[in-house]
Amino acid sequence: MSFQTRLFITLVVAVITALTVINFVTLYFFIEQQQRNEKEIIAVYQEILKLNKTYPLPAHIKNYQNELMMDRSYAHQRLKEYSKTLLIWESILVLILLFLFYRVLIVMVKKERETEDFLTLLIFVLSHKIGNFISVIKINIEILKIKPDQAIFDRLCSQCNLLNDEIKKTMDTIKKLPFLSKNREKVNVKQMLLNTVSKFYTEQTVRITARDVFLETNPETFETIIFLLLDNSFKYADNKVHIKIFNNAIAIRNDISDVSKGAGVGLQIVNFLSKKIGLNFKYRAKTDHFLVLIDFQKR
């Protein structure tokens, strides 16, 4: 039995127990109050009869040898009507509370599953990228053993720095996952893009068409999105990468020799993060190019 199911059953039992106690106390005081009212009403009618013996009595008050008594069936009927009304309103209240709690529970379960799936995805991607980095580093080290080359050494340093950035970025994302959609600041999209591009070493031709565009968003998450998109473009581009910033969007287009390259896991992370901060993420693969678009407009 899942934790959510146990929590739901516990709430039902707690609500029923609480209402049972409340009903017992309420009915107890209702009966006591009804008995006091009956005594007061009978005392009033007795005083009236002393002054006027022919005064007509209500149907629920009986006169037995000059002694007034309340008809018990009338008292039982009042108690029955009160209990029925109380039960109806309590049933409505319980149903509303259980429905609201059920909806909240569904949302919690959905978010929990999304977070769990996302963390699994992050770990898978990180392990996959670490494996790729290690393979590249091993190859370059073997080349250096044969023939020292400054370009290869620089490439190794760049790869190590990139791996370090990847690990830090992933850990930061995991730490900030519960707060991704809460902290919002005004960021300069152009400046953030240029800073992120500078972290990459690539042999492709990179063309950037940018303007100063400001966006109210979560800066850490938005930077992670840009980093993942650039990483995907540089990794699978054949020769060229074109990045363009519009007033309400970022488009990244790269040529590609094989559209089947890559598992698309990074794009799944981008899609998850984009939804978290209210952005639209779209991509399109053609035979000779790949295009991704981050739309700033609200959905």
Side-chain angles (χ1 to χ4, degrees):
M1 186 182 295
S2 65
F3 170 75
Q4 290 81 7
T5 304
R6 292 198 300 270
L7 185 62
F8 185 76
I9 293 174
T10 302
L11 176 69
V12 172
V13 173
V15 169
I16 293 175
T17 303
L19 290 179
T20 301
V21 174
I22 292 173
N23 287 343
F24 176 79
V25 174
T26 302
L27 291 175
Y28 174 80
F29 282 105
F30 178 82
I31 293 172
E32 277 199 344
Q33 185 63 38
Q34 183 173 254
Q35 290 175 349
R36 284 196 294 269
N37 290 341
E38 289 175 0
K39 290 178 182 179
E40 292 174 359
I41 291 172
I42 289 175
V44 170
Y45 277 110
Q46 282 178 339
E47 293 297 325
I48 292 175
L49 289 178
K50 287 179 182 179
L51 300 176
N52 184 4
K53 293 183 178 182
T54 60
Y55 186 84
L57 296 173
H60 58 274
I61 297 179
K62 306 298 182 181
N63 190 345
Y64 295 100
Q65 298 177 353
N66 294 326
E67 184 178 352
L68 301 182
M69 297 181 65
M70 186 72 69
D71 188 353
R72 301 319 305 166
S73 61
Y74 173 76
H76 291 157
Q77 183 63 28
R78 286 190 63 197
L79 179 61
K80 183 179 178 180
E81 290 176 356
Y82 177 79
S83 301
K84 183 179 178 181
T85 303
L86 184 65
L87 181 62
I88 291 174
W89 282 107
E90 283 184 349
S91 299
I92 294 173
L93 178 62
V94 169
L95 290 175
I96 293 174
L97 287 176
L98 292 180
F99 174 76
L100 293 176
F101 184 77
Y102 174 76
R103 296 300 303 171
V104 171
L105 207 59
I106 291 296
V107 173
M108 289 174 58
V109 170
K110 184 178 179 181
K111 288 186 176 180
E112 182 180 323
R113 288 176 180 172
E114 286 181 353
T115 303
E116 183 179 345
D117 292 342
F118 178 64
L119 289 176
T120 303
L121 194 62
L122 274 180
I123 293 172
F124 173 77
V125 172
L126 186 59
S127 62
H128 177 70
K129 289 189 174 183
I130 289 175
N132 288 342
F133 278 122
I134 291 175
S135 299
V136 172
I137 289 172
K138 283 182 178 179
I139 293 172
N140 284 285
I141 288 176
E142 293 299 323
I143 296 174
L144 282 175
K145 287 180 180 179
I146 300 172
K147 181 182 178 181
D149 190 326
Q150 184 64 36
I152 296 176
F153 179 77
D154 293 340
R155 192 180 305 128
L156 275 174
C157 292
S158 176
Q159 291 289 327
C160 290
N161 290 334
L162 190 57
L163 175 58
N164 184 56
D165 288 342
E166 284 274 4
I167 294 174
K168 285 183 178 180
K169 193 73 65 178
T170 302
M171 296 307 299
D172 287 343
T173 302
I174 292 173
K175 290 177 183 178
K176 297 171 183 177
L177 188 59
F179 314 101
L180 287 182
S181 59
K182 296 181 181 179
N183 304 324
R184 303 180 71 86
E185 299 176 12
K186 181 176 287 188
V187 299
N188 187 324
V189 177
K190 174 184 175 181
Q191 190 62 48
M192 182 172 287
L193 175 67
L194 295 177
N195 290 340
T196 309
V197 169
S198 65
K199 298 177 182 179
F200 289 89
Y201 169 81
T202 179
E203 296 179 352
Q204 288 94 357
T205 301
V206 181
R207 185 159 64 95
I208 301 176
T209 307
R211 64 181 70 181
D212 287 317
V213 175
F214 294 90
L215 176 65
E216 190 80 21
T217 187
N218 180 276
E220 293 85 1
T221 308
F222 188 64
E223 185 179 5
T224 302
I225 291 172
I226 294 176
F227 182 89
L228 291 171
L229 291 178
L230 291 175
D231 179 56
N232 187 79
S233 295
F234 293 147
K235 184 181 296 183
Y236 301 118
D238 193 14
N239 293 304
K240 296 180 290 186
V241 176
H242 182 200
I243 307 166
K244 186 170 184 178
I245 299 179
F246 301 92
N247 288 332
N248 53 11
I250 294 179
I252 303 176
R253 184 181 187 275
N254 61 272
D255 59 356
I256 190 167
S257 58
D258 184 4
V259 294
S260 63
K261 289 167 66 176
V265 181
L267 298 181
Q268 294 180 44
I269 297 177
V270 171
N271 186 51
F272 178 90
L273 294 177
S274 298
K275 288 180 179 178
K276 273 283 184 180
I277 59 176
L279 302 178
N280 293 324
F281 171 63
K282 302 174 184 177
Y283 66 90
R284 183 179 63 189
K286 293 291 185 180
T287 55
D288 60 346
H289 72 272
F290 190 81
L291 175 67
V292 294
L293 181 72
I294 294 291
D295 190 353
F296 308 152
Q297 292 180 335
K298 295 291 184 180
R299 285 173 292 180

